Tab-separated table of all heavy atoms in Angstrom:
chain	number	residue	atom	x	y	z
A	182	SER	N	-24.032	5.231	-40.325
A	182	SER	CA	-23.415	4.710	-41.516
A	182	SER	C	-22.053	5.299	-41.786
A	182	SER	O	-21.165	4.683	-42.401
A	182	SER	CB	-24.305	4.937	-42.689
A	182	SER	OG	-24.670	6.297	-42.865
A	300	GLU	N	-13.018	13.358	-46.991
A	300	GLU	CA	-11.761	12.617	-46.774
A	300	GLU	C	-10.815	13.362	-45.814
A	300	GLU	O	-9.975	12.744	-45.165
A	300	GLU	CB	-11.085	12.232	-48.056
A	300	GLU	CG	-11.958	11.185	-48.774
A	300	GLU	CD	-11.300	10.582	-50.000
A	300	GLU	OE1	-10.522	11.326	-50.633
A	300	GLU	OE2	-11.611	9.399	-50.270
A	329	THR	N	6.812	16.862	-60.229
A	329	THR	CA	5.824	17.119	-61.292
A	329	THR	C	5.195	18.501	-61.177
A	329	THR	O	4.281	18.712	-60.350
A	329	THR	CB	4.744	16.019	-61.313
A	329	THR	OG1	3.629	16.489	-62.070
A	329	THR	CG2	4.271	15.682	-59.924
A	408	ARG	N	3.164	5.685	-57.860
A	408	ARG	CA	2.426	4.473	-58.236
A	408	ARG	C	3.359	3.363	-58.601
A	408	ARG	O	3.053	2.168	-58.314
A	408	ARG	CB	1.499	4.852	-59.410
A	408	ARG	CG	0.627	3.651	-59.839
A	408	ARG	CD	-0.367	4.177	-60.912
A	408	ARG	NE	-1.211	3.109	-61.456
A	408	ARG	CZ	-2.417	2.836	-61.041
A	408	ARG	NH1	-2.926	3.521	-60.052
A	408	ARG	NH2	-3.136	1.922	-61.582
A	452	ARG	N	-5.012	11.802	-50.548
A	452	ARG	CA	-5.461	11.207	-51.849
A	452	ARG	C	-5.795	12.256	-52.888
A	452	ARG	O	-5.602	12.044	-54.057
A	452	ARG	CB	-6.696	10.355	-51.601
A	452	ARG	CG	-6.593	8.897	-52.046
A	452	ARG	CD	-7.968	8.257	-52.082
A	452	ARG	NE	-8.825	9.018	-52.956
A	452	ARG	CZ	-8.910	8.807	-54.273
A	452	ARG	NH1	-8.171	7.850	-54.846
A	452	ARG	NH2	-9.677	9.531	-55.017
A	614	GLU	N	-25.763	41.653	-44.993
A	614	GLU	CA	-26.728	40.678	-45.532
A	614	GLU	C	-26.353	40.242	-46.955
A	614	GLU	O	-26.407	39.075	-47.282
A	614	GLU	CB	-28.127	41.326	-45.595
A	614	GLU	CG	-28.822	41.311	-44.253
A	614	GLU	CD	-30.242	41.871	-44.353
A	614	GLU	OE1	-30.981	41.514	-45.266
A	614	GLU	OE2	-30.582	42.675	-43.488
A	616	TYR	N	-23.409	40.296	-48.481
A	616	TYR	CA	-22.129	39.630	-48.692
A	616	TYR	C	-21.676	38.786	-47.490
A	616	TYR	O	-20.588	38.291	-47.490
A	616	TYR	CB	-21.083	40.674	-49.072
A	616	TYR	CG	-21.458	41.520	-50.242
A	616	TYR	CD1	-21.733	42.889	-50.120
A	616	TYR	CD2	-21.538	40.942	-51.473
A	616	TYR	CE1	-22.133	43.666	-51.220
A	616	TYR	CE2	-21.975	41.695	-52.624
A	616	TYR	CZ	-22.214	43.052	-52.476
A	616	TYR	OH	-22.616	43.793	-53.529
A	618	ASP	N	-20.624	39.659	-44.849
A	618	ASP	CA	-19.284	40.161	-44.463
A	618	ASP	C	-19.213	40.375	-42.941
A	618	ASP	O	-19.493	41.456	-42.430
A	618	ASP	CB	-19.019	41.496	-45.185
A	618	ASP	CG	-17.546	41.951	-45.005
A	618	ASP	OD1	-16.720	41.189	-44.502
A	618	ASP	OD2	-17.268	43.119	-45.401
A	648	ARG	N	-7.582	53.605	-51.134
A	648	ARG	CA	-7.403	54.617	-52.154
A	648	ARG	C	-6.960	55.953	-51.601
A	648	ARG	O	-7.575	57.005	-51.852
A	648	ARG	CB	-8.743	54.825	-52.925
A	648	ARG	CG	-9.098	53.645	-53.814
A	648	ARG	CD	-10.261	54.018	-54.704
A	648	ARG	NE	-10.711	52.850	-55.418
A	648	ARG	CZ	-11.956	52.779	-56.002
A	648	ARG	NH1	-12.767	53.780	-55.917
A	648	ARG	NH2	-12.335	51.694	-56.629
B	166	GLU	N	1.912	0.787	-67.191
B	166	GLU	CA	0.721	0.082	-66.714
B	166	GLU	C	0.295	-1.006	-67.720
B	166	GLU	O	0.136	-0.729	-68.907
B	166	GLU	CB	-0.405	1.148	-66.651
B	166	GLU	CG	-1.537	0.714	-65.751
B	166	GLU	CD	-1.275	1.201	-64.306
B	166	GLU	OE1	-0.352	1.951	-64.013
B	166	GLU	OE2	-2.032	0.713	-63.445
B	182	SER	N	2.559	15.479	-66.839
B	182	SER	CA	2.419	14.496	-65.770
B	182	SER	C	0.955	14.204	-65.507
B	182	SER	O	0.587	13.143	-65.034
B	182	SER	CB	3.118	14.966	-64.526
B	182	SER	OG	2.711	16.229	-64.147
B	300	GLU	N	-10.704	15.181	-59.419
B	300	GLU	CA	-11.386	13.984	-59.874
B	300	GLU	C	-12.612	14.271	-60.613
B	300	GLU	O	-13.074	13.385	-61.448
B	300	GLU	CB	-11.658	13.083	-58.662
B	300	GLU	CG	-10.331	12.559	-58.099
B	300	GLU	CD	-10.504	11.492	-57.037
B	300	GLU	OE1	-11.496	11.532	-56.309
B	300	GLU	OE2	-9.592	10.644	-56.935
B	329	THR	N	-28.669	5.378	-46.753
B	329	THR	CA	-27.955	5.886	-45.643
B	329	THR	C	-28.115	7.414	-45.476
B	329	THR	O	-27.514	8.230	-46.201
B	329	THR	CB	-26.421	5.553	-45.748
B	329	THR	OG1	-25.720	6.393	-44.893
B	329	THR	CG2	-25.901	5.763	-47.135
B	408	ARG	N	-19.833	-1.604	-50.895
B	408	ARG	CA	-18.510	-2.241	-50.706
B	408	ARG	C	-18.704	-3.743	-50.568
B	408	ARG	O	-17.893	-4.528	-51.059
B	408	ARG	CB	-17.866	-1.681	-49.454
B	408	ARG	CG	-16.473	-2.247	-49.176
B	408	ARG	CD	-15.872	-1.542	-47.977
B	408	ARG	NE	-14.570	-2.054	-47.568
B	408	ARG	CZ	-13.412	-1.585	-47.994
B	408	ARG	NH1	-13.395	-0.621	-48.839
B	408	ARG	NH2	-12.248	-2.082	-47.568
B	452	ARG	N	-16.461	9.059	-56.572
B	452	ARG	CA	-15.716	8.582	-55.424
B	452	ARG	C	-15.917	9.469	-54.205
B	452	ARG	O	-15.911	8.985	-53.085
B	452	ARG	CB	-14.201	8.554	-55.764
B	452	ARG	CG	-13.539	7.225	-55.538
B	452	ARG	CD	-12.031	7.373	-55.549
B	452	ARG	NE	-11.645	8.193	-54.406
B	452	ARG	CZ	-11.442	7.733	-53.191
B	452	ARG	NH1	-11.570	6.415	-52.935
B	452	ARG	NH2	-11.145	8.512	-52.193
B	614	GLU	N	-14.926	45.835	-55.699
B	614	GLU	CA	-13.554	45.413	-55.251
B	614	GLU	C	-13.577	44.643	-53.987
B	614	GLU	O	-12.880	43.631	-53.823
B	614	GLU	CB	-12.678	46.712	-55.039
B	614	GLU	CG	-12.182	47.300	-56.336
B	614	GLU	CD	-11.298	48.454	-56.141
B	614	GLU	OE1	-10.432	48.419	-55.240
B	614	GLU	OE2	-11.463	49.474	-56.815
B	616	TYR	N	-16.015	42.855	-52.604
B	616	TYR	CA	-16.686	41.582	-52.584
B	616	TYR	C	-16.689	40.863	-53.930
B	616	TYR	O	-17.390	39.866	-54.065
B	616	TYR	CB	-18.139	41.833	-52.083
B	616	TYR	CG	-18.209	42.527	-50.790
B	616	TYR	CD1	-18.667	43.822	-50.618
B	616	TYR	CD2	-17.759	41.848	-49.632
B	616	TYR	CE1	-18.695	44.444	-49.389
B	616	TYR	CE2	-17.787	42.513	-48.399
B	616	TYR	CZ	-18.241	43.793	-48.297
B	616	TYR	OH	-18.283	44.404	-47.087
B	618	ASP	N	-18.238	41.459	-56.478
B	618	ASP	CA	-19.650	41.213	-56.826
B	618	ASP	C	-19.863	41.592	-58.270
B	618	ASP	O	-20.277	42.742	-58.582
B	618	ASP	CB	-20.507	42.070	-55.891
B	618	ASP	CG	-21.990	41.721	-56.033
B	618	ASP	OD1	-22.306	40.708	-56.734
B	618	ASP	OD2	-22.827	42.512	-55.480
B	648	ARG	N	-36.337	44.996	-48.462
B	648	ARG	CA	-36.937	45.560	-47.291
B	648	ARG	C	-38.097	46.528	-47.659
B	648	ARG	O	-38.082	47.689	-47.212
B	648	ARG	CB	-35.885	46.348	-46.428
B	648	ARG	CG	-34.944	45.371	-45.763
B	648	ARG	CD	-34.068	46.129	-44.757
B	648	ARG	NE	-32.970	45.311	-44.220
B	648	ARG	CZ	-31.932	45.834	-43.651
B	648	ARG	NH1	-31.824	47.112	-43.492
B	648	ARG	NH2	-30.987	45.015	-43.179
Side-chain angles (χ1 to χ4, degrees):
Chain A
S182 53
E300 290 188 332
T329 164
R408 182 173 176 95
R452 235 195 59 85
E614 282 182 45
Y616 305 112
D618 189 9
R648 289 191 189 163
Chain B
E166 201 89 12
S182 52
E300 290 188 333
T329 163
R408 183 175 176 94
R452 235 195 65 84
E614 282 183 45
Y616 304 112
D618 189 10
R648 290 190 189 161

